[in-house]
Amino acid sequence: MDRVPILKIGDLLLVSIQIDLQDQTVMVLQEDLADRIVKTGARGVIIDITAVEIVDSFIGRMFSTIASMSRLLDAETVVVGMRPAVAITLVELGLSLGGVRTALDLEKGMQLLSRTAQSTDGS
Amino acid sequence: MDRVPILKIGDLLLVSIQIDLQDQTVMVLQEDLADRIVKTGARGVIIDITAVEIVDSFIGRMFSTIASMSRLLDAETVVVGMRPAVAITLVELGLSLGGVRTALDLEKGMQLLSRTAQSTDGS
Amino acid sequence: MTSAPVTSNDDVVRIRQLVRKAAIEARMSIVDQTKIVTAASELARNAFVHGGGGTATVELVSNAVGRAGVRLVFSDTGPGIPDIPLALTEGWTSGSGLGLGLSGTRRLVDEFDLATEVGEGTTVTVTKWAR
Amino acid sequence: MTSAPVTSNDDVVRIRQLVRKAAIEARMSIVDQTKIVTAASELARNAFVHGGGGTATVELVSNAVGRAGVRLVFSDTGPGIPDIPLALTEGWTSGSGLGLGLSGTRRLVDEFDLATEVGEGTTVTVTKWAR
Ligand SMILES: Nc1ncnc2c1ncn2[C@@H]1O[C@H](COP(=O)(O)OP(=O)(O)O)[C@@H](O)[C@H]1O
Ligand SMILES: Nc1ncnc2c1ncn2[C@@H]1O[C@H](COP(=O)(O)OP(=O)(O)O)[C@@H](O)[C@H]1O
């Protein structure tokens, strides 16, 4: 089984999914990420799915789970780079990913998280 | 098959439906729109149905699909210009268009979207 | 009385236009025109998608007291509907629709009749009266 | 026609790749490719998780008017599905899934057929046509 690497950039964690995800990989990624948020005190998680060709209900649920879990650990999650065909397919599948924030690309995702961090810091 | 044009105005996309929509046109419009949101980084989509004389369940579902899909791509959708007779008919048909924002006309729709953009910008 | 084939998505659009014309001739209000045209759109799509294609007839009618109306008949020789109450249930679909076509149409018209035989086909007849 | 086992999570990934290849050969649009691969992923997982493993076949087909398409068959000899309408209900799961696999897949394809017998197994056949 492949493992998805988690990169630390400042106080953000970046997960860039470059492989065809199997269910076990998804489960392990969620656990790894929870560990890393706690260990690093990261304030944000960016999941980059630019390279992801399909999101089925199992993978889609991962985004919601990661978003909820990181919120509990005081970090915000944003999913970036969703392909247009993936977005349409998710909607037809019936998965709306409520509670998951999205941005068009990595840059916009980082902006979103830094704004959120500022406003919750009250600074 | 006719194709519905998509206009870019600032960071908004405007879809003005001027033809009697057939099902294929609807499917293609959804896909075109997803592509354009990603290509342009648009933050909002306005669907102008001032000229639309009937909305049946297939067309009504398009509004919901576009709204959900654009949310996944980080854009807000608003449907403007619904005729009173269309609104009444939709309700009797059993279609409530939950999750679809509406405004009376183009101007009000643009105001609605610019307010939303500001508040998510935190500015 | 006008008849038209329902064998493509294009035909669905054409039938909406025929029904609009009839509804105007029957002097229906804008709301009633919208309702009968919307009903026609649902039933035409059903005849095409579920019934594998068929024909539509659009007829101007008048009742005993001279009230004008529009009667629509959609006939196909498709698979028929095995469970009518189920098909009329709001939200139920055997395919990928919203399951609002039959239940919704019924609310949009004044008279609604569904005749179907498994393996033979389906005929839906609806009438709406001008007020 | 290609057949492949569905007896592990890895197989699910492999089947997605097989289906992608077939969808490209059928000259489907990117959106349609994405839809059929997503459907395959859901059905393969079901055959593995609920059906205890089975086989998948991926076939290029063409219809009467020469339109190309992809047909997928997922067969398992698992417990079968006692209540089909329930299993097809959006959001219903007997396990810990989201209950979107069957209902969602149905919307993603053009033809959907579910044959199942309690104690015998389940076969799901879906077809999607290139436009
Ligand atoms: N003309 C028809 N021939 C066969 N089956 C039909 C026909 N019209 C409707 N049905 C059946 O009734 C169901 C409900 O129809 P409807 O309420 O129009 O919803 P939808 O078309 O969205 O499925 C359909 O899914 C189909 O199984
Ligand atoms: N191949 C199968 N064998 C037995 N039961 C199945 C099979 N596929 C689906 N089911 C049943 O149908 C239910 C709904 O399936 P689905 O919509 O894919 O959702 P999920 O897999 O998330 O539960 C499953 O929970 C299971 O009970």
Side-chain angles (χ1 to χ4, degrees):
Chain A
M1 196 203 70
D2 295 314
R3 220 172 169 114
V4 177
I6 301 171
L7 306 179
K8 185 168 177 299
I9 306 179
D11 58 358
L12 299 181
L13 297 179
L14 172 64
V15 178
S16 177
I17 298 171
Q18 304 287 346
I19 55 166
D20 212 336
L21 288 173
Q22 66 146 85
D23 294 3
Q24 267 316 106
T25 312
V26 166
M27 300 306 289
V28 170
L29 173 58
Q30 292 177 178
E31 294 169 15
D32 286 353
L33 205 45
D35 277 342
R36 286 292 292 278
I37 294 172
V38 171
K39 279 209 188 92
T40 61
R43 302 299 308 267
V45 175
I46 299 187
I47 307 176
D48 179 5
I49 60 169
T50 310
V52 171
E53 291 184 335
I54 71 135
V55 173
D56 64 11
S57 64
F58 196 89
I59 300 170
R61 177 157 65 167
M62 172 183 75
F63 302 147
S64 302
T65 303
I66 290 177
S68 305
M69 168 202 87
S70 47
R71 212 166 289 132
L72 289 175
L73 301 173
D74 199 24
E76 275 298 314
T77 300
V78 56
V79 171
V80 305
M82 187 181 291
R83 298 182 178 198
V86 169
I88 289 183
T89 302
L90 272 177
V91 172
E92 288 207 0
L93 194 59
L95 213 66
S96 58
L97 298 190
V100 178
R101 304 175 76 178
T102 53
L104 225 49
D105 54 33
L106 197 54
E107 200 187 322
K108 291 218 171 71
M110 293 179 83
Q111 279 168 12
L112 186 72
L113 288 180
S114 68
R115 273 204 306 277
T116 317
Q118 269 169 25
S119 63
T120 41
D121 284 358
S123 55
Chain B
M1 195 202 70
D2 295 315
R3 222 173 168 116
V4 177
I6 301 171
L7 306 179
K8 185 168 179 297
I9 306 179
D11 58 358
L12 300 182
L13 296 178
L14 172 63
V15 178
S16 178
I17 299 171
Q18 303 287 346
I19 54 167
D20 212 335
L21 287 174
Q22 66 146 86
D23 294 4
Q24 266 315 106
T25 311
V26 165
M27 299 303 290
V28 171
L29 174 58
Q30 291 177 180
E31 295 175 14
D32 285 352
L33 206 45
D35 277 339
R36 283 294 290 278
I37 294 172
V38 170
K39 280 211 186 90
T40 61
R43 299 302 308 268
V45 175
I46 299 187
I47 307 175
D48 179 5
I49 60 169
T50 311
V52 172
E53 291 182 337
I54 71 135
V55 173
D56 64 10
S57 64
F58 196 90
I59 299 170
R61 175 155 67 166
M62 172 183 76
F63 302 146
S64 303
T65 302
I66 289 177
S68 304
M69 167 202 90
S70 48
R71 212 166 290 130
L72 287 175
L73 301 173
D74 198 27
E76 276 297 314
T77 300
V78 57
V79 171
V80 306
M82 187 182 292
R83 298 181 178 197
V86 169
I88 291 180
T89 303
L90 272 177
V91 172
E92 289 206 1
L93 195 59
L95 213 67
S96 59
L97 299 190
V100 179
R101 304 175 76 178
T102 54
L104 225 48
D105 55 31
L106 197 54
E107 200 187 321
K108 291 221 170 66
M110 292 179 83
Q111 279 167 10
L112 186 72
L113 288 179
S114 68
R115 272 203 307 276
T116 317
Q118 267 169 24
S119 63
T120 42
D121 282 357
S123 56
Chain C
M1 201 175 89
T2 320
S3 287
V6 199
T7 49
S8 72
N9 281 318
D10 257 353
D11 289 339
V12 175
V13 171
R14 238 183 318 268
I15 285 159
R16 285 185 208 146
Q17 290 158 356
L18 282 176
V19 174
R20 170 77 62 181
K21 220 174 116 244
I24 292 171
E25 277 179 51
R27 300 176 159 276
M28 282 187 192
S29 68
I30 294 285
V31 170
D32 286 339
Q33 287 176 34
T34 306
K35 287 182 181 176
I36 186 78
V37 175
T38 304
S41 187
E42 297 290 343
L43 296 175
R45 181 180 298 106
N46 278 355
F48 169 53
V49 171
H50 303 298
T55 50
T57 65
V58 181
E59 191 180 0
L60 272 176
V61 288
S62 61
N63 70 359
V65 296
R67 217 160 141 209
V70 173
R71 175 164 301 147
L72 310 176
V73 184
F74 293 86
S75 273
D76 64 65
T77 52
I81 300 177
D83 187 338
I84 299 179
L86 189 63
L88 290 172
T89 303
E90 183 154 2
W92 188 84
T93 177
S94 67
S96 58
L98 288 176
L100 295 176
L102 291 178
S103 56
T105 289
R106 214 173 168 191
R107 283 189 294 264
L108 294 174
V109 298
D110 295 314
E111 292 163 30
F112 179 96
D113 181 74
L114 172 64
T116 183
E117 188 113 15
V118 172
E120 299 288 317
T122 300
T123 298
V124 182
T125 307
V126 299
T127 309
K128 190 164 188 74
W129 301 104
R131 278 172 299 178
Chain D
M1 201 175 87
T2 319
S3 286
V6 199
T7 49
S8 72
N9 280 319
D10 257 351
D11 289 339
V12 175
V13 171
R14 237 184 319 268
I15 285 160
R16 284 185 208 147
Q17 289 158 356
L18 281 175
V19 174
R20 170 77 61 179
K21 218 174 117 245
I24 291 171
E25 275 179 53
R27 300 176 159 274
M28 283 188 192
S29 68
I30 295 283
V31 171
D32 285 340
Q33 287 176 34
T34 306
K35 287 181 180 176
I36 186 78
V37 176
T38 305
S41 188
E42 297 291 343
L43 296 175
R45 182 180 297 106
N46 278 355
F48 169 54
V49 172
H50 303 299
T55 50
T57 68
V58 181
E59 192 181 359
L60 271 176
V61 289
S62 62
N63 71 0
V65 296
R67 216 159 143 210
V70 173
R71 176 164 300 146
L72 310 176
V73 183
F74 293 86
S75 274
D76 63 65
T77 52
I81 300 178
D83 187 338
I84 298 179
L86 189 63
L88 290 171
T89 302
E90 185 156 358
W92 188 83
T93 177
S94 66
S96 58
L98 289 176
L100 295 176
L102 291 177
S103 56
T105 290
R106 210 171 168 196
R107 282 189 294 263
L108 294 175
V109 299
D110 295 314
E111 292 164 30
F112 179 97
D113 182 74
L114 172 63
T116 183
E117 188 113 16
V118 172
E120 299 287 318
T122 301
T123 298
V124 182
T125 308
V126 299
T127 309
K128 189 164 189 75
W129 301 104
R131 277 173 297 179

